[in-house]
Amino acid sequence: MFKSIFFFTTLTSLTLSTPLFGQTLPTAGDIYNFSEESKVYTKMIDIPLNTMEGNFHLSDLYAQKPIIMALVFTRCTGICSPFLLQLHDHLRSLDNKRKFSVLVVSFDPKDSLSEMQSLAARFQLQNNKQWIFATTPQIDSLKTAIDFYPTWDSTTAQFDHEALLVGINENGYIGKKLLGMRDERALLSLIKEINNEFVFSYPLPAKNTIFSCFTYDPATGKKKPSLGLLILLLPAIITLSLLLWLGSRKPKLN
Amino acid sequence: MKEHMFILTLFLVLAVIIAGVFTFVYRSSVGNKEDNGIKNPTGKRFIFFLLFTGAMVILLFITIPKSPYYAFANDAPAKVIHVSAMQYMFMMSSQAIDPNNPSMEPDITVPVDKVVEFRVTSSDVTHGFGIYNDKAELITQTQAMPGYVNRLRFKFTKPGNYNILCLEYCGAGHAVMRSSFTVN
Amino acid sequence: MPTLSFKRITSAWIITILVLFVLAISFGITMRFNQGRDIDISPVTFYSLMTVHGLTMIGIWAVAGMAAVNYLLARYVKVSTSLNVFAFVLTVVGVVILWVVGFIGKFHAGWTFLYPLPFRVAWEEWATLWFLIGLTVLGVGWLVWSVGMIMQILKKYTLGQSFAWQHFTKKHDVAVETPPFILITMVSIIGILISLITAVILLVLFYAEYFSNGTFTNDPLLMKNLTYFFGHTIANEALYLGLATLYELLPEVSGRPKFKTTWYVAVGWNCTMVFVLTAFFHHLYMDFVQPYGFQLVGQFASYFASIPSAAVTIVSVIVLIYGNKIKWSLTNILFFLGLVGWIIGGVGALIDATISNNIILHNTLWVPAHFHTYNVMGNVLFSLAFFVWAANQFAGTDSKNISKAQLVKLSILVIGGFGFVLMFYIAGAYSVPRRYALYPEEFTSAAILASAGAWFALAYLIAILLLLGNIVSKCLKVFSSSQPSPLSH
Ligand code: HEM
Ligand SMILES: [Cu+2]
């Protein structure tokens, strides 16, 4: 009884007394990319894979080691190459005590295995046991399983798509996805996740927040403390410099 | 509840001791004809310091390992619930929630005696995600901050109805922002 | 010695603060009666009251400390009346803006205005901007005031001396002695300055988003860190300002020799200055996104910040008083009681600053419980002690031995104050959330506790009103043309 009166008065007074005017501010849905969360913790479908080493299923692969799956197409003039390059770089600079293999799958039905092979050769990865380049006859079910829908743009003759990594653990579950070009820290948390190490919190990819505490500098490949951390230190720095400046003047003798 | 009562009792005992000590000090100073104070304070001071610091260090060593962040880190959760908080409700689902196209499950049930994971975020302002048992005792919590996902793992040992209350002030409807789920 | 105009401005501070205090307490009691279901106000009114109450209380007790140390600073260095007046005017303007924003604009984002809540406009459209403007006015006034006081100190003492670095050795023959008052004032004002600069940065980020038309958004984690860096630091430093006046006046009014700056006093307060700056991380324990290292730093800093300031002060006061011949007057009793309240509140704070407890205490009524303890029964009493002392100075009266009537008033104050916070502690331990306009039904005793808390608070308010008359009437004397002759003592 009390509860319902309480509810009712609160809700009515809220609607009556809170004129929600003008200013349309962006909602979290506009600011952050939530689709990174979709399908996480679901079991991957067991697609067949064609590789230079032969044909097998995804389950054969993850049964041995967790997988970092990257989605590309060979004729890509956009993000695919820098994306793979960055992935390669990051994996080299992260210490690789944790186990995983990297599976690069094409989502373009026109891609042939030999085209994938030459893509591997472009990065000198054709003989690297950790990297597997593959095509699959079941592209559509793969796309549904990971909620990834590139669109064909006929004017540019390119797929319009975002960079996507999917982390799959040894039981075949999607542990984490990474959308877009992300820093080493994000990649590390993906690797931890598929190795069943608990990462108790992580950011969602933001569209335009510039002040976060760490950012990745693609030029040097180093993580550097960014504006965010600097901003947190700024008050102390300003005060210290002010003090040193004021204190550098001789006080009157007492 | 043991923890809750322990905290309150501990505090009250300490408060009474402090009040007692200062009352004692006060009374020792009333009606004196001359000074009979502490004669050689330096050594006693040093001992007090040592005791104080020692107590702090011991307390740190005892309590830090009990920090909740890595709770159940090595278990695979039996069930995962996605939570997206918004003014003034909690959307919960076993699927990821897209705030532009929200979907939620009306009845959430999680298994008893198994590790459950809540992946908590917010789609507007910062909220709190506090889990209360059927005796209205807060048993665990995390914050729901836009742009970040906090993963709270917990093992419910008693079946029953659990409530979720908002534990970060989020506007005029803060006190009515709630949800619930069942453990069985 | 302070000039007449300096006495007048200090007097104006005291009267303004006391008036605002009485009003803000009434808002607090209103809130508590609403939670107790004795009265019925709408949630929007409740949260507007809460916002104005929090801002006003934090504001007035910070400036009370500032005004007190500024007045006492005149004993050691040359102080500026116009600087003080400037701060006063901006404070009044800022407070007026914030009250208008709260009561007419219905702004109710809480005194911590946690990002992005102020942008989720649920009040008059102009209120968010004017809220930011109000804070800016206060920020500018206090920033200039703090820098001004630091400059006054540094005109007489070198940087090292102002932090008592020459006392770090155990040698007794230092060329220039830094009184504890100067040391603690310096340490506290530096802290205030840092927190104000943080506030300015926070405000700039708010303005930037406000005027960017959606092209720029802030990072909520960074904003929360800044918010608590500012909020936690200013609330704590306000207390340290209160302690500075305690160090200066307690021995004097008790008829004891002055405190000396020894090596451990010097080292202790320097450590406090550093530790207290990172203790604010304890406000983000339940934000799992906060880097793990910061969480640990938060608990370490919260524990260790208490060692130097609290331990040094406790020992110094006990040594000063225990077994000695003390002249107890209203002033030193208030200081003494304030110290007890401060320590008890500190214990409550430390319990909450422990991560493993925080998980069941965070944002329950335990939080207002402990911070009200060290404010209502701590810092407020330090400032009241100063007010009583200053009022006597202004009126040219001596501080008399404590009277029966005064003891009765103080007893009401103590029972009311501790009763009020005890209801918060019990409810907090029983998991009742803070900042709830009304409590859900499952918290069966929450409303009763709230109601009891409100009645205790009413007793506290009555005691304050009884004490206030005397202070205000003496303060008003400095404005009359017939001035008491300069005092001989
Ligand atoms: C006896 C006097 C006082 C009474 C009756 C009172 C009452 C209250 C009440 C009922 C609340 C809301 C608690 C909740 O449900 O979360 C509150 C919040 C608060 N009070 Fe007081 N209070 C008093 C004195 C003070 C003093 C001296 C300070 C000094 C700093 C203070 C600072 C605050 C602050 C900062 C908040 C938080 C506001 C917010 O959540 O935004 N109060 N007070
Ligand atoms: Cu909320």
Side-chain angles (χ1 to χ4, degrees):
Chain A
M1 178 60 190
F2 239 137
K3 202 156 154 185
S4 53
I5 294 177
F6 172 38
F7 246 101
F8 183 75
T9 46
T10 310
L11 288 181
T12 38
S13 54
L14 279 180
T15 31
L16 293 180
S17 61
T18 53
L20 283 156
F21 302 107
Q23 251 212 335
T24 45
L25 285 148
T27 65
D30 306 328
I31 304 172
Y32 306 103
N33 210 330
F34 282 81
S35 63
E36 191 174 283
E37 287 293 280
S38 68
K39 302 288 180 183
V40 166
Y41 275 116
T42 55
K43 177 126 184 173
M44 271 302 283
I45 52 149
D46 196 13
I47 49 166
L49 297 170
N50 307 329
T51 77
M52 292 309 283
E53 318 277 291
N55 299 345
F56 43 81
H57 278 78
L58 189 66
S59 56
D60 303 325
L61 212 54
Y62 63 64
Q64 294 162 13
K65 272 184 204 169
I67 303 175
I68 303 176
M69 182 164 75
L71 289 119
V72 298
F73 68 109
T74 57
R75 271 165 288 269
C76 181
T77 55
I79 201 167
C80 299
S81 284
F83 174 51
L84 284 181
L85 198 66
Q86 193 207 34
L87 178 63
H88 187 213
D89 266 8
H90 282 174
L91 289 178
R92 256 195 323 206
S93 66
L94 286 173
D95 77 299
N96 282 346
K97 270 181 283 175
R98 299 181 181 85
K99 47 183 183 141
F100 57 84
S101 42
V102 185
L103 173 67
V104 184
V105 192
S106 164
F107 57 82
D108 183 353
K110 290 201 285 286
D111 273 337
S112 67
L113 191 52
S114 62
E115 279 167 322
M116 286 305 280
Q117 180 63 10
S118 51
L119 180 67
R122 282 221 307 270
F123 296 97
Q124 277 146 25
L125 285 168
Q126 69 275 41
N127 298 320
N128 188 325
K129 280 276 165 313
Q130 204 181 19
W131 288 66
I132 299 151
F133 285 74
T135 60
T136 174
Q138 292 188 12
I139 292 177
D140 285 337
S141 22
L142 172 62
K143 285 184 193 165
T144 328
I146 56 179
D147 240 359
F148 177 66
Y149 304 106
T151 48
W152 178 254
D153 183 343
S154 48
T155 53
T156 56
Q158 288 279 313
F159 281 104
D160 186 9
H161 71 107
E162 284 209 68
L164 177 69
L165 291 180
V166 181
I168 302 166
N169 70 13
E170 279 175 318
N171 300 323
Y173 283 83
I174 299 181
K176 186 170 175 59
K177 298 196 317 190
L178 286 179
L179 209 58
M181 299 281 277
R182 301 290 288 282
D183 61 12
E184 242 175 64
R185 219 159 56 130
L187 182 62
L188 183 62
S189 72
L190 183 145
I191 296 175
K192 282 186 176 168
E193 184 67 49
I194 57 179
N195 277 282
N196 300 322
E197 282 174 55
F198 187 45
V199 181
F200 55 74
S201 181
Y202 55 90
L204 290 168
K207 291 171 184 162
N208 61 351
T209 55
I210 56 169
F211 299 129
S212 74
C213 289
F214 287 94
T215 39
Y216 171 75
D217 177 2
T220 62
K222 292 244 166 60
K223 229 187 317 173
K224 59 174 188 193
S226 76
L227 280 170
L229 203 60
L230 195 71
I231 287 178
L232 215 50
L233 289 174
L234 204 58
I237 296 172
I238 295 178
T239 308
L240 198 68
S241 6
L242 188 79
L243 273 181
L244 289 176
W245 176 61
L246 289 175
S248 65
R249 299 179 308 179
K250 269 245 143 51
K252 292 207 192 75
L253 284 177
N254 22 8
Chain B
M1 199 64 222
K2 268 192 281 165
E3 254 173 310
H4 300 246
M5 281 321 296
F6 174 74
I7 287 174
L8 184 62
T9 317
L10 174 74
F11 169 75
L12 290 177
V13 168
L14 288 173
V16 168
I17 293 175
I18 292 163
V21 168
F22 277 87
T23 311
F24 176 70
V25 170
Y26 171 73
R27 297 188 56 132
S28 76
S29 75
V30 178
N32 290 340
K33 292 273 175 322
E34 63 202 42
D35 292 346
N36 304 306
I38 299 168
K39 283 288 145 9
N40 179 13
T42 320
K44 298 190 181 85
R45 236 175 220 148
F46 189 70
I47 292 170
F48 180 79
F49 252 123
L50 228 53
L51 287 177
F52 203 107
T53 313
M56 290 296 171
V57 172
I58 291 170
L59 284 174
L60 275 173
F61 271 95
I62 297 176
T63 58
I64 287 272
K66 294 191 183 153
S67 302
Y69 309 110
Y70 284 108
F72 307 107
N74 299 322
D75 301 72
K79 180 132 188 182
V80 176
I81 305 292
H82 295 259
V83 181
S84 185
M86 60 183 283
Q87 284 171 329
Y88 299 106
M89 62 190 285
F90 292 97
M91 293 186 284
M92 296 204 284
S93 168
S94 47
Q95 302 293 316
I97 299 164
D98 177 359
N100 289 335
N101 189 10
S103 62
M104 55 196 267
E105 290 165 24
D107 298 304
I108 298 282
T109 307
V110 299
V112 70
D113 281 328
K114 299 233 168 75
V115 175
V116 179
E117 178 175 313
F118 297 91
R119 299 171 76 105
V120 184
T121 185
S122 162
S123 57
D124 45 38
V125 301
T126 296
H127 299 275
F129 180 79
I131 301 182
Y132 282 76
N133 65 14
D134 56 359
K135 292 200 220 76
E137 293 155 7
L138 177 57
I139 52 179
T140 189
Q141 65 170 310
T142 188
Q143 291 263 306
M145 184 182 265
Y148 295 91
V149 178
N150 290 335
R151 299 166 72 182
L152 177 67
R153 288 187 172 180
F154 200 78
K155 193 187 270 179
F156 298 94
T157 50
K158 278 201 204 105
N161 185 53
Y162 287 74
N163 287 316
I164 295 163
L165 300 190
C166 184
L167 283 187
E168 185 62 73
Y169 177 61
C170 59
H174 175 51
V176 294
M177 175 163 167
R178 60 187 296 150
S179 185
S180 65
F181 61 92
T182 314
V183 173
N184 64 27
Chain C
M1 265 289 113
T3 58
L4 176 60
S5 52
F6 209 86
K7 286 182 178 166
R8 282 191 171 153
I9 184 66
T10 305
S11 215
W13 277 117
I14 294 176
I15 295 166
T16 313
I17 286 164
L18 287 175
V19 170
L20 288 174
F21 184 40
V22 168
L23 293 173
I25 294 179
S26 324
F27 304 157
I29 294 176
T30 310
M31 282 189 278
R32 211 72 184 114
F33 271 132
N34 188 64
Q35 291 170 330
R37 296 182 193 265
D38 299 295
I39 58 168
D40 187 11
I41 57 178
S42 78
V44 170
T45 310
F46 179 93
Y47 290 119
S48 303
L49 281 174
M50 185 186 87
T51 306
V52 173
H53 168 85
L55 284 167
T56 307
M57 287 293 196
I58 294 290
I60 59 177
W61 298 110
V63 292
M66 293 282 278
V69 297
N70 200 172
Y71 186 80
L72 293 171
L73 213 48
R75 294 174 158 194
Y76 300 97
V77 303
K78 206 166 155 289
V79 295
S80 153
T81 310
S82 44
L83 177 70
N84 199 315
V85 173
F86 171 80
F88 181 78
V89 171
L90 287 203
T91 303
V92 171
V93 173
V95 168
V96 169
I97 294 177
L98 291 178
W99 279 46
V100 168
V101 164
F103 288 131
I104 299 173
K106 291 280 166 208
F107 182 83
H108 56 268
W111 93 271
T112 45
F113 56 100
L114 187 61
Y115 175 85
L117 192 51
F119 290 147
R120 306 287 300 193
V121 178
W123 34 77
E124 300 294 335
E125 209 184 350
W126 48 267
T128 296
L129 183 59
W130 277 93
F131 174 76
L132 297 175
I133 294 174
L135 286 183
T136 309
V137 171
L138 291 179
V140 168
W142 300 349
L143 208 63
V144 173
W145 198 9
S146 317
V147 174
M149 281 207 252
I150 292 173
M151 283 169 69
Q152 289 155 6
I153 293 176
L154 289 180
K155 275 198 186 124
K156 177 156 169 196
Y157 301 92
T158 65
L159 195 57
Q161 287 164 356
S162 68
F163 291 115
W165 289 343
Q166 79 278 24
H167 289 281
F168 277 12
T169 58
K170 283 193 188 175
K171 274 189 306 200
H172 291 294
D173 50 342
V174 285
V176 178
E177 281 216 24
T178 307
F181 174 73
I182 293 292
L183 166 65
I184 301 170
T185 299
M186 191 69 182
V187 163
S188 318
I189 297 184
I190 297 291
I192 299 249
L193 186 59
I194 293 179
S195 87
L196 291 175
I197 295 173
T198 312
V200 170
I201 293 171
L202 185 63
L203 287 172
V204 167
L205 291 175
F206 264 109
Y207 282 123
E209 181 163 338
Y210 188 88
F211 290 114
S212 80
N213 259 325
T215 56
F216 167 68
T217 44
N218 280 290
D219 175 13
L221 181 60
L222 175 65
M223 294 298 268
K224 189 166 182 184
N225 272 289
L226 287 172
T227 300
Y228 284 101
F229 191 5
F230 152 68
H232 174 87
T233 311
I234 196 154
N236 271 260
E237 303 293 348
L239 259 155
Y240 294 156
L241 288 173
L243 284 179
T245 59
L246 179 148
Y247 272 76
E248 179 69 10
L249 293 178
L250 179 60
E252 187 175 317
V253 294
S254 308
R256 306 291 308 159
K258 279 201 148 201
F259 282 130
K260 283 241 160 52
T261 303
T262 51
W263 68 269
Y264 52 83
V265 169
V267 173
W269 280 97
N270 275 273
C271 289
T272 295
M273 177 167 65
V274 178
F275 286 142
V276 79
L277 292 181
T278 49
F280 80 91
F281 286 136
H282 62 218
H283 286 271
L284 285 96
Y285 285 158
M286 289 304 117
D287 289 275
F288 294 7
V289 299
Q290 179 85 330
Y292 183 54
F294 286 3
Q295 310 286 24
L296 298 184
V297 170
Q299 189 171 339
F300 272 86
S302 308
Y303 276 48
F304 286 112
S306 72
I307 297 177
S309 59
V312 167
T313 308
I314 294 171
V315 171
S316 305
V317 171
I318 289 182
V319 170
L320 182 88
I321 295 196
Y322 180 78
N324 287 330
K325 186 175 143 222
I326 302 292
K327 179 182 173 228
W328 287 106
S329 63
L330 189 53
T331 306
N332 52 2
I333 291 227
L334 281 169
F335 273 128
F336 194 73
L337 280 176
L339 190 66
V340 180
W342 176 52
I343 297 166
I344 293 179
V347 171
L350 273 187
I351 289 177
D352 193 21
T354 307
I355 302 174
S356 56
N357 294 334
N358 191 256
I359 192 144
I360 54 168
L361 293 179
H362 183 72
N363 280 349
T364 66
L365 283 176
W366 192 273
V367 181
H370 78 254
F371 75 68
H372 277 98
T373 313
Y374 58 64
N375 282 306
V376 172
M377 292 313 291
N379 198 18
V380 168
L381 303 196
F382 294 154
S383 287
L384 281 183
F386 169 79
F387 292 175
V388 170
W389 176 85
N392 278 328
Q393 296 261 308
F394 299 156
T397 46
D398 257 332
S399 62
K400 291 192 210 62
N401 281 355
I402 188 94
S403 67
K404 275 267 153 53
Q406 281 170 332
L407 278 177
V408 171
K409 291 179 199 171
L410 284 178
S411 310
I412 303 175
L413 190 80
V414 168
I415 293 169
F418 280 117
F420 163 62
V421 293
L422 182 62
M423 299 306 123
F424 272 149
Y425 281 110
I426 297 174
Y430 280 96
S431 306
V432 180
R434 76 182 281 204
R435 291 171 158 172
Y436 268 30
L438 282 176
Y439 297 117
E441 286 202 323
E442 65 249 44
F443 299 104
T444 41
S445 48
I448 302 161
L449 291 171
S451 192
W455 286 107
F456 277 117
L458 206 57
Y460 179 87
L461 176 62
I462 290 170
I464 291 288
L465 287 170
L466 291 174
L467 290 167
L468 180 149
N470 206 346
I471 300 174
V472 171
S473 65
K474 282 181 180 171
C475 281
L476 284 173
K477 291 213 171 116
V478 282
F479 294 104
S480 62
S481 47
S482 63
Q483 265 303 299
S485 55
L487 285 173
S488 46
H489 55 273

